Amino acid sequence: MRLKVKVPELLAPVGNRDSLVAAVEDGADAIYMGCNLFSARAYATNFSEEELEEAIDFAHVRGVKAYVTVNTLIKDIEFEDAFDLLHKICNMGADAVIVQDIGLLNEVRSRYPELPVHASTQMTAHNIPSVEMLAEMGVKRVVLSREMSLDSIKKLKESCGIEVEIFVHGALCICYSGQCLMSSMIGGRSGNRGYCAQPCRRKYGLTRNGQEIETKGDYLLSPKDLCAASLIPELIEAGVDSFKIEGRMKRPEYVAGVVRIYRTLIDRYMENPDSYYVSEGEAEDLMQLFNRGFTSAYLEGKSRGMMSREYPANRGLELGKVIGYNRNHGRVRVKLKRSLTQGDGISIGETGYHATAIFRNGKRVKKAFPEDIVEILSPLVKKERIVFKTSDSSQMDVLQKTYSSPHPLRKIPIDIEARIKAGIPLEIRMRDKDSLSVLVSSDFDVEEAKSHPITPEKIEEQLNKLGNTVFEAHNIDVKLEGNVFVPLKAINNLRNEAAEKLAKMRSEIYHRDCRRPALPNIPINFHERDILLAVAVSSLKGVEEAVLAGANAIYLDRFSELDFKRALFLCRKHDCKLYLFTPRIVMDSEMADVLKILDMSSECDGIVASNAAVLNMASQRKIPMIADSTLNIFNRYSSSFLKGKGCILSTVSPELTLKEINEIAISFESEAIVEGRLELMVSEYCLLAELLGCRGPSESACKKARYEFVDEKGFSFPVITDEHCRTHILNSKKLSMLGKLQDLIDTGVSSIRIDARWDENNIKGVIAAYRKALDTGKIVERKGNVYTRGHYYRGVL
């Protein structure tokens, strides 16, 4: 016997007014949208504050929930503006705010208790302990990382009493959301701040030990798009609360079409789970709307074939094949596989345009059909190239009507009651399914009819004419006493007045009167101190060289129990502290390895907490922690929260400037990374496996040589695969602040870190140079063009 399951929420992306109407009219249960500030899709149109309130009201009138994104990392200087925006969002009646910044999240929950909070996927919640921590903070819902499998989602949902939301359709990030520095390091536009420059959609070459390797396709970091339409039964049965569609930067027709299809699919399953299907037409419509190729990504486990390496943009559907070129008229000759209409979008290779003119047998036609040979105006292209139809004009026309028509598709059923009696005012009451009701009365008394009295049928007919309102009559009850006369115009006016008041009531009932609390006063707690020199290493040899060169603390990564014992002996011998690194990513199935580290940490000085799960578990065990930069420490409020969890030191985000670091360091013990190759991406996908023909850890082809991705400017990014076959992409240049160390010291940081985990060459000399600079003030600049000062001077958008 099949257990009863909950109907999941269908959550739609809204980037502008047209997309809002499209999402609502085509069946979304909820929408998510951003304001002009603090939105992770800063390049979407987004909404002004006035437009945002109108959009929330528009959704609520129609029975749709409205979530607002404030899902970027927040600088200290921006916190007042963020709090002002949250105050307004709270009063507007938003059903929830979606947040990334851990400091902002903590303050919202304590200071705006009326406003529910959803934890953004940018918080990289991908295991049970991280979700448990967020639940303890008062988060209502967690948007899980896209890298989780169906099995892991089901186990998490069974374990955690909190709503979970997953992406079911749209673009994928190759890096774990919230962990990508590639966009900011390449171009100064931070994905964590909503300005992702999409470096994963650019061309890269692959080299082995410096020698170029031929690959099929040049877009080596570009994933296909997610489509979970076929997995809806499994996702519903796993207990997922909300199905999220990606696409706040997509056109409204895309929103309309995708929402409409997923609405149909969810309803189909709920009506008859045993006969669920996705029709060929529905699958093709999804592909036609937008696709880079479809994949279920990680939902069915570790994925292969997830990449779109040959073309990173919309493919649509295969239209046909180039069979020649008419040089006299500048037209490409194509044998069609499917129909083509004038105005359809097409692409050949990386060239995209519209079919403004179609020729068949030398004559211009408006439409051509499968097996036809046609000519289309086009630049010269190679024979045998595949032609894709990237947009279908007839599909666009149909979908456009869903948001441009003055006649709403989505209607709210209401009951209408009319009371008509001579000598008293005419009364009309409207009541909706939520038991909200309004009563309106005429400003005149009903008169006895001298002739032709009004009939109940005529009154009902007028009351039923709700036209372009959002309401439709479900029941109409006319209480008519005696023979009376009422002008039809009066009935119509009262009906319209009642509908208007009920619509207003349906939106205003969500409005709140939220108190605007002051930001907490975080006192300055700076005092002169000796700067600690910490060194992160991943070998026993690195430990030995670091302690001999003068490190005050060692952060040990990727170690055996024997290495740990020896490292502990060396550190104790040289009066050096030892902390154990924890993984940046750790699935629940890998949690036993973390528990071992936590157990071992009782013998040393503590751990480096690299993700929220470790933070939560170590806090419960009262293990001293150093918060790693991967926790995205962007402001004093984040540091304050982490200190409360037991962190004795917080490593600030490498996306901050010296001035921004100072805002944090004057109040909390802070650390900054000064040297090493920063990790720009971590991906659950083994990017090298398919390129090298590797079948997994048993072969470890990636370990047998040095691999790098090389961009179009010639910069090389080292690629490392770990024991779980995750990919780590490192910066093309090493960070070095040796020549400007005093500037960093002046920010007030308590500790500086040399990160040598990825490259321990000449580690002893590098540490010695920093030790000398700290002890004597004598600084020697590291020369060469292989170094960068990161964002310490330039900052990020």
Side-chain angles (χ1 to χ4, degrees), residues 44-338:
T45 303
N46 291 314
F47 294 83
S48 67
E49 290 177 6
E50 182 180 348
E51 291 167 339
L52 187 65
E53 183 168 16
E54 291 173 357
I56 293 171
D57 287 348
F58 179 91
H60 283 159
V61 167
R62 291 153 181 82
V64 174
K65 291 183 177 180
Y67 309 139
V68 181
T69 60
V70 184
N71 56 342
T72 64
L73 296 179
I74 312 292
K75 298 178 182 180
D76 276 290
I77 198 173
E78 299 169 334
F79 244 79
E80 281 287 354
D81 288 339
F83 246 52
D84 282 342
L85 178 59
L86 287 166
H87 181 240
K88 291 169 184 172
I89 291 170
C90 188
N91 284 335
M92 289 173 191
D95 294 277
V97 61
I98 305 171
V99 176
Q100 172 190 8
D101 191 290
I102 191 72
L104 184 67
L105 189 154
N106 191 49
E107 296 300 332
V108 173
R109 290 310 307 131
S110 63
R111 297 174 191 283
Y112 289 108
E114 315 97 319
L115 181 60
V117 174
H118 294 177
S120 168
T121 191
Q122 290 283 118
M123 296 198 79
T124 327
H126 61 283
N127 49 46
I128 291 171
S130 63
V131 172
E132 287 176 338
M133 186 189 82
L134 292 167
E136 288 167 10
M137 294 177 69
V139 168
K140 181 180 180 183
R141 176 186 295 179
V142 177
V143 188
L144 298 176
S145 292
R146 293 173 174 91
E147 288 77 6
M148 293 190 70
S149 68
L150 267 165
D151 185 56
S152 60
I153 292 168
K154 184 176 181 180
K155 288 176 181 175
L156 184 148
K157 182 61 183 172
E158 289 171 350
S159 175
C160 303
I162 190 171
E163 292 182 12
V164 298
E165 176 179 306
I166 69 159
F167 283 93
V168 295
H169 198 88
L172 289 167
C173 295
I174 193 60
C175 178
Y176 272 85
S177 293
Q179 298 299 312
C180 184
L181 296 176
M182 199 157 189
S183 177
S184 69
M185 287 297 170
I186 288 177
R189 296 194 286 176
S190 172
N192 291 317
R193 301 261 298 157
Y195 292 97
C196 179
Q198 294 196 303
C200 53
R201 305 297 181 190
R202 297 184 182 184
K203 290 183 178 180
Y204 297 90
L206 177 64
T207 64
R208 179 195 291 123
N209 296 330
Q211 300 298 311
E212 188 174 352
I213 302 173
E214 187 174 343
T215 59
K216 186 178 180 181
D218 298 322
Y219 299 93
L220 304 185
L221 301 182
S222 178
K224 294 177 182 176
D225 286 349
L226 173 63
C227 178
S230 65
L231 297 176
I232 279 178
E234 291 88 345
L235 290 168
I236 292 176
E237 288 163 18
V240 174
D241 296 278
S242 181
F243 289 0
K244 187 172 197 169
I245 297 167
E246 182 276 338
R248 278 195 284 153
M249 293 178 66
K250 298 279 200 324
R251 59 196 298 180
E253 292 88 350
Y254 169 88
V255 175
V258 176
V259 168
R260 177 182 288 191
I261 292 170
Y262 274 87
R263 175 78 279 149
T264 299
L265 296 178
I266 293 169
D267 292 346
R268 179 178 296 155
Y269 173 82
M270 298 308 299
E271 288 166 11
N272 192 344
D274 294 324
S275 63
Y276 179 80
Y277 66 92
V278 181
S279 73
E280 183 179 347
E282 288 162 342
E284 286 206 348
D285 281 347
L286 286 172
M287 293 184 72
Q288 185 63 83
L289 285 164
F290 193 99
N291 81 91
R292 299 177 177 92
F294 279 148
T295 175
S296 62
Y298 306 100
L299 288 171
E300 296 179 275
K302 283 276 189 177
S303 180
R304 287 287 180 98
M306 198 179 89
M307 304 303 289
S308 177
R309 295 190 180 95
E310 294 184 70
Y311 192 43
N314 179 25
R315 293 182 184 180
L317 290 166
E318 186 176 335
L319 177 65
K321 185 179 288 186
V322 175
I323 60 173
Y325 194 79
N326 183 335
R327 292 178 179 270
N328 293 331
H329 296 93
R331 301 197 294 242
V332 66
R333 192 172 295 116
V334 179
K335 184 171 183 180
L336 296 181
K337 185 177 179 179
R338 63 183 71 245

Side-chain angles (χ1 to χ4, degrees), residues 206-209 213 302 538 558 683 685-689 692-708 719-728 757-758:
L206 177 64
T207 64
R208 179 195 291 123
N209 296 330
I213 302 173
K302 283 276 189 177
S538 55
R558 300 190 293 276
S683 176
Y685 196 77
C686 185
L687 288 163
L688 293 177
L692 302 177
C694 176
R695 289 193 291 265
S698 59
E699 291 190 5
S700 298
C702 53
K703 303 287 194 301
K704 297 172 183 176
R706 184 183 77 254
Y707 292 93
E708 295 176 315
V719 185
I720 295 172
T721 307
D722 65 23
E723 67 274 19
H724 298 291
C725 290
R726 294 189 182 103
T727 302
H728 305 262
R757 290 175 297 156
W758 310 106

Side-chain angles (χ1 to χ4, degrees), residues 389-417:
K389 181 159 73 168
T390 54
S391 68
D392 184 292
S393 56
S394 60
Q395 182 190 46
M396 291 295 107
D397 288 344
V398 170
L399 294 173
Q400 192 178 61
K401 288 182 174 64
T402 68
Y403 65 84
S404 62
S405 170
H407 306 292
L409 298 172
R410 190 171 191 142
K411 294 284 188 176
I412 304 298
I414 59 171
D415 295 334
I416 306 176
E417 180 183 313

Side-chain angles (χ1 to χ4, degrees), residues 42-43 77 181 191 224 332 351 397 436 478 496 569 656 686 699 703 709 733 749 797:
Y43 295 119
I77 198 173
L181 296 176
K224 294 177 182 176
V332 66
T351 304
D397 288 344
L436 297 176
V478 177
N496 293 341
F569 172 78
L656 294 175
C686 185
E699 291 190 5
K703 303 287 194 301
F709 288 143
K733 292 185 177 183
V749 293
L797 284 176

Side-chain angles (χ1 to χ4, degrees), residues 454-496:
I454 195 165
T455 64
E457 292 77 17
K458 191 63 179 177
I459 297 169
E460 183 172 336
E461 179 186 341
Q462 297 308 118
L463 293 176
N464 200 38
K465 291 180 179 179
L466 290 161
N468 293 339
T469 71
V470 299
F471 301 115
E472 63 180 0
H474 184 255
N475 290 305
I476 299 177
D477 182 15
V478 177
K479 292 182 169 61
L480 176 63
E481 296 184 29
N483 294 323
V484 298
F485 169 76
V486 180
L488 295 183
K489 184 177 180 181
I491 297 174
N492 293 340
N493 287 342
L494 277 184
R495 178 202 63 215
N496 293 341

